[in-house]
Amino acid sequence: MKLSEIKKYLKNLTQIGFQLPNGNLVQAHFHVTEVGKTTKSYIDCGGKVRHEEKINFQLWEEKDYDHRLHPDKLLQIIAMSEKMFDLADLEIEVEYQGKETIGTYNLDFDGTHFLLQAKLTACLAEDACGIAPEKPRIRISDAGSANACEPNSGCC
């Protein structure tokens, strides 16, 4: 989700909810402790230099059960960040403290809640690394009889 999208959704909400990939909701007394821009420069395994910029939100829960972040307050925090960091309409990445470590998630929206979506790693230079593309899998029953061998024909 891009920054422009979350701002559009927040304008139409009366409360904010974040849902974890397992279906549980982040506690209603969460805080957004950071809104910022992260920049990452790196070399992939094929030797290509890459640069990424993302908007970063950090969610935090504490025992402040009376605190509720309202959509208009988050819009104000976003507006301050846009001015301070000259934010472009970038993808949003969300950090959230899990049981063992901080998890990093992509963000989506289902009409009611913002969905924290698990991120996956991948090789960015498969062609340079020698990783063969995965062959498509088909069922033998779907192959048809045109390529089938006759029993006792010696082709199998």
Side-chain angles (χ1 to χ4, degrees):
M1 172 182 301
K2 291 190 174 226
L3 188 61
S4 61
E5 294 173 278
I6 195 168
K7 290 181 348 182
K8 178 181 73 173
Y9 297 137
L10 287 169
K11 289 177 184 175
N12 296 315
L13 292 176
T14 57
Q15 61 184 6
I16 306 171
F18 285 91
Q19 184 174 338
L20 295 162
N22 66 6
N24 293 337
L25 291 175
V26 172
Q27 295 295 313
H29 58 275
F30 74 92
H31 297 246
V32 173
T33 61
E34 292 180 10
V35 174
K37 177 171 63 173
T38 58
T39 303
K40 180 178 173 182
S41 299
Y42 57 98
I43 297 174
D44 69 23
C45 57
K48 182 176 179 181
V49 174
R50 296 178 183 261
H51 304 280
E52 290 181 358
E53 284 189 335
K54 294 186 180 180
I55 305 294
N56 184 54
F57 285 21
Q58 186 180 76
L59 305 183
W60 180 65
E61 292 177 30
E62 189 47 45
K63 295 177 176 88
D64 178 8
Y65 299 109
D66 296 325
H67 182 273
R68 299 289 184 272
L69 180 65
H70 295 281
D72 57 336
K73 178 64 175 175
L74 183 52
L75 283 167
Q76 290 172 9
I77 295 168
I78 291 170
M80 286 188 293
S81 297
E82 285 178 304
K83 288 178 188 172
M84 181 65 66
F85 303 119
D86 193 26
L87 297 181
D89 191 24
L90 300 170
E91 288 291 323
I92 297 171
E93 190 172 73
V94 179
E95 294 178 351
Y96 176 71
Q97 178 69 52
K99 290 183 180 186
E100 296 178 15
T101 189
I102 296 171
T104 305
Y105 301 91
N106 290 322
L107 190 61
D108 201 358
F109 186 66
D110 69 0
T112 304
H113 299 109
F114 291 101
L115 308 175
L116 301 181
Q117 298 183 318
K119 297 180 70 136
L120 302 173
T121 61
C123 179
L124 300 175
E126 289 181 356
D127 56 335
C129 286
I131 297 173
E134 189 172 323
K135 294 179 182 179
R137 297 178 184 256
I138 61 168
R139 279 188 233 142
I140 294 174
S141 61
D142 293 341
S145 60
N147 295 328
C149 293
E150 291 293 322
N152 300 323
S153 69
C155 70
C156 300

